[in-house]
Short mmCIF file of all heavy atoms in Angstrom, two decimals:
data_model
loop_
_atom_site.label_atom_id
_atom_site.label_comp_id
_atom_site.label_asym_id
_atom_site.label_seq_id
_atom_site.Cartn_x
_atom_site.Cartn_y
_atom_site.Cartn_z
N VAL A 356 -186.00 -38.88 157.14
CA VAL A 356 -186.12 -40.16 156.29
C VAL A 356 -184.95 -40.36 155.21
O VAL A 356 -184.85 -41.41 154.66
CB VAL A 356 -187.52 -40.30 155.55
CG1 VAL A 356 -188.52 -40.03 156.41
CG2 VAL A 356 -187.60 -39.31 154.35
N GLY A 357 -184.24 -39.28 155.01
CA GLY A 357 -183.18 -39.26 154.02
C GLY A 357 -181.84 -39.71 154.59
O GLY A 357 -181.70 -40.26 155.67
N THR A 358 -180.75 -39.38 153.75
CA THR A 358 -179.34 -39.84 154.04
C THR A 358 -178.62 -38.71 154.83
O THR A 358 -177.38 -38.82 154.90
CB THR A 358 -178.62 -40.10 152.70
OG1 THR A 358 -178.79 -38.93 151.93
CG2 THR A 358 -179.31 -41.26 152.00
N ASN A 359 -179.20 -37.56 155.18
CA ASN A 359 -178.45 -36.39 155.61
C ASN A 359 -178.16 -36.43 157.08
O ASN A 359 -178.93 -36.91 157.89
CB ASN A 359 -179.49 -35.15 155.33
CG ASN A 359 -178.85 -33.85 155.52
OD1 ASN A 359 -177.54 -33.80 155.50
ND2 ASN A 359 -179.63 -32.74 155.56
N ILE A 360 -176.97 -35.90 157.38
CA ILE A 360 -176.53 -35.79 158.75
C ILE A 360 -175.80 -34.38 158.84
O ILE A 360 -174.98 -33.94 158.08
CB ILE A 360 -175.46 -36.89 159.09
CG1 ILE A 360 -176.01 -38.29 159.03
CG2 ILE A 360 -174.81 -36.60 160.62
CD1 ILE A 360 -175.01 -39.42 159.26
N LEU A 361 -176.30 -33.68 159.92
CA LEU A 361 -175.65 -32.34 160.10
C LEU A 361 -174.32 -32.44 160.83
O LEU A 361 -174.33 -33.03 161.95
CB LEU A 361 -176.56 -31.46 160.95
CG LEU A 361 -177.94 -31.04 160.45
CD1 LEU A 361 -178.77 -30.20 161.48
CD2 LEU A 361 -177.86 -30.24 159.03
N VAL A 362 -173.34 -31.86 160.26
CA VAL A 362 -171.93 -31.97 160.94
C VAL A 362 -171.36 -30.61 161.23
O VAL A 362 -170.43 -30.51 161.86
CB VAL A 362 -170.94 -32.81 160.05
CG1 VAL A 362 -171.40 -34.29 160.04
CG2 VAL A 362 -170.89 -32.25 158.67
N GLY A 363 -172.00 -29.55 160.75
CA GLY A 363 -171.49 -28.20 161.12
C GLY A 363 -170.15 -28.06 160.56
O GLY A 363 -169.83 -28.50 159.48
N ARG A 364 -169.31 -27.26 161.30
CA ARG A 364 -167.94 -27.12 160.83
C ARG A 364 -167.00 -27.93 161.91
O ARG A 364 -165.85 -27.65 162.02
CB ARG A 364 -167.49 -25.59 161.01
CG ARG A 364 -167.99 -24.86 159.75
CD ARG A 364 -167.48 -23.44 159.84
NE ARG A 364 -167.99 -22.79 160.97
CZ ARG A 364 -169.16 -22.06 161.01
NH1 ARG A 364 -169.85 -21.99 159.86
NH2 ARG A 364 -169.52 -21.47 161.97
N ASN A 365 -167.67 -28.92 162.64
CA ASN A 365 -166.90 -29.56 163.72
C ASN A 365 -166.07 -30.65 163.05
O ASN A 365 -166.52 -31.72 162.62
CB ASN A 365 -167.98 -30.17 164.65
CG ASN A 365 -167.52 -30.91 165.86
OD1 ASN A 365 -166.46 -31.58 165.63
ND2 ASN A 365 -168.13 -30.79 166.94
N SER A 366 -164.63 -30.46 163.19
CA SER A 366 -163.84 -31.31 162.42
C SER A 366 -163.89 -32.84 162.94
O SER A 366 -163.98 -33.78 162.18
CB SER A 366 -162.36 -30.87 162.49
OG SER A 366 -161.83 -30.76 163.90
N GLY A 367 -164.06 -32.94 164.26
CA GLY A 367 -164.19 -34.34 164.90
C GLY A 367 -165.42 -35.02 164.40
O GLY A 367 -165.33 -36.17 164.03
N LYS A 368 -166.55 -34.33 164.31
CA LYS A 368 -167.80 -34.81 163.81
C LYS A 368 -167.70 -35.10 162.34
O LYS A 368 -168.17 -36.22 161.86
CB LYS A 368 -168.91 -33.80 164.10
CG LYS A 368 -170.19 -34.44 164.29
CD LYS A 368 -171.23 -33.38 164.91
CE LYS A 368 -172.52 -34.12 165.09
NZ LYS A 368 -173.60 -33.24 165.47
N ILE A 369 -167.09 -34.30 161.58
CA ILE A 369 -167.00 -34.50 160.07
C ILE A 369 -166.16 -35.81 159.94
O ILE A 369 -166.67 -36.78 159.23
CB ILE A 369 -166.30 -33.36 159.40
CG1 ILE A 369 -167.16 -32.02 159.61
CG2 ILE A 369 -166.19 -33.61 157.94
CD1 ILE A 369 -166.53 -30.67 159.07
N THR A 370 -164.97 -35.94 160.46
CA THR A 370 -164.21 -36.94 160.39
C THR A 370 -164.76 -38.40 160.86
O THR A 370 -164.67 -39.34 160.16
CB THR A 370 -162.83 -36.81 161.20
OG1 THR A 370 -162.47 -35.40 161.01
CG2 THR A 370 -161.71 -37.69 160.72
N ARG A 371 -165.48 -38.26 161.94
CA ARG A 371 -166.24 -39.43 162.53
C ARG A 371 -167.15 -40.01 161.50
O ARG A 371 -167.21 -41.09 161.17
CB ARG A 371 -166.87 -39.09 163.90
CG ARG A 371 -167.20 -40.23 164.68
CD ARG A 371 -167.45 -39.94 166.12
NE ARG A 371 -168.52 -38.91 166.31
CZ ARG A 371 -168.27 -37.77 166.85
NH1 ARG A 371 -167.00 -37.39 167.26
NH2 ARG A 371 -169.19 -36.75 166.95
N GLU A 372 -168.13 -39.08 160.97
CA GLU A 372 -169.05 -39.54 160.00
C GLU A 372 -168.48 -40.01 158.77
O GLU A 372 -168.93 -40.96 158.22
CB GLU A 372 -170.00 -38.40 159.82
CG GLU A 372 -170.90 -38.03 160.99
CD GLU A 372 -171.74 -39.15 161.56
OE1 GLU A 372 -172.02 -40.12 160.86
OE2 GLU A 372 -172.16 -38.97 162.76
N VAL A 373 -167.35 -39.46 158.36
CA VAL A 373 -166.70 -39.96 157.16
C VAL A 373 -166.23 -41.25 157.34
O VAL A 373 -166.37 -42.25 156.47
CB VAL A 373 -165.47 -39.00 156.69
CG1 VAL A 373 -164.62 -39.70 155.69
CG2 VAL A 373 -165.99 -37.72 156.19
N LYS A 374 -165.59 -41.64 158.53
CA LYS A 374 -165.12 -42.92 158.87
C LYS A 374 -166.31 -43.93 158.89
O LYS A 374 -166.22 -45.12 158.41
CB LYS A 374 -164.40 -43.02 160.19
CG LYS A 374 -163.02 -42.36 160.14
CD LYS A 374 -162.24 -42.51 161.28
CE LYS A 374 -160.85 -41.84 161.11
NZ LYS A 374 -160.34 -41.40 162.41
N ASN A 375 -167.46 -43.54 159.51
CA ASN A 375 -168.63 -44.40 159.52
C ASN A 375 -169.08 -44.87 158.08
O ASN A 375 -169.29 -45.89 157.81
CB ASN A 375 -169.79 -43.75 160.16
CG ASN A 375 -169.78 -43.87 161.58
OD1 ASN A 375 -169.21 -44.72 162.18
ND2 ASN A 375 -170.41 -42.85 162.24
N ILE A 376 -169.11 -43.89 157.15
CA ILE A 376 -169.52 -44.10 155.71
C ILE A 376 -168.58 -45.14 155.18
O ILE A 376 -168.96 -46.07 154.51
CB ILE A 376 -169.61 -42.81 154.90
CG1 ILE A 376 -170.83 -41.91 155.51
CG2 ILE A 376 -169.71 -43.11 153.52
CD1 ILE A 376 -170.63 -40.47 155.03
N LEU A 377 -167.24 -44.79 155.36
CA LEU A 377 -166.24 -45.62 154.67
C LEU A 377 -166.16 -47.04 155.29
O LEU A 377 -165.82 -48.12 154.64
CB LEU A 377 -164.82 -45.04 154.77
CG LEU A 377 -164.68 -43.71 154.10
CD1 LEU A 377 -163.24 -43.10 154.35
CD2 LEU A 377 -164.95 -43.82 152.53
N ALA A 378 -166.67 -47.14 156.46
CA ALA A 378 -166.81 -48.52 157.20
C ALA A 378 -168.20 -49.22 156.76
O ALA A 378 -168.55 -50.18 157.46
CB ALA A 378 -166.63 -48.32 158.56
N GLY A 379 -168.83 -48.51 155.98
CA GLY A 379 -170.16 -49.20 155.56
C GLY A 379 -171.34 -49.04 156.48
O GLY A 379 -172.32 -49.65 156.37
N ARG A 380 -171.11 -47.98 157.30
CA ARG A 380 -172.27 -47.63 158.21
C ARG A 380 -173.11 -46.42 157.90
O ARG A 380 -173.48 -45.62 158.65
CB ARG A 380 -171.78 -47.61 159.68
CG ARG A 380 -171.19 -48.82 160.27
CD ARG A 380 -170.95 -48.71 161.76
NE ARG A 380 -169.85 -47.78 162.08
CZ ARG A 380 -168.55 -48.02 162.07
NH1 ARG A 380 -168.12 -49.29 161.88
NH2 ARG A 380 -167.65 -47.17 162.31
#
Side-chain angles (χ1 to χ4, degrees):
V356 310
T358 56
N359 192 15
I360 297 177
L361 294 181
V362 290
R364 281 184 297 270
N365 182 322
S366 60
K368 210 164 178 186
I369 300 172
T370 320
R371 199 164 52 243
E372 293 302 341
V373 167
K374 284 185 181 153
N375 274 338
I376 294 165
L377 296 179
R380 292 191 294 270

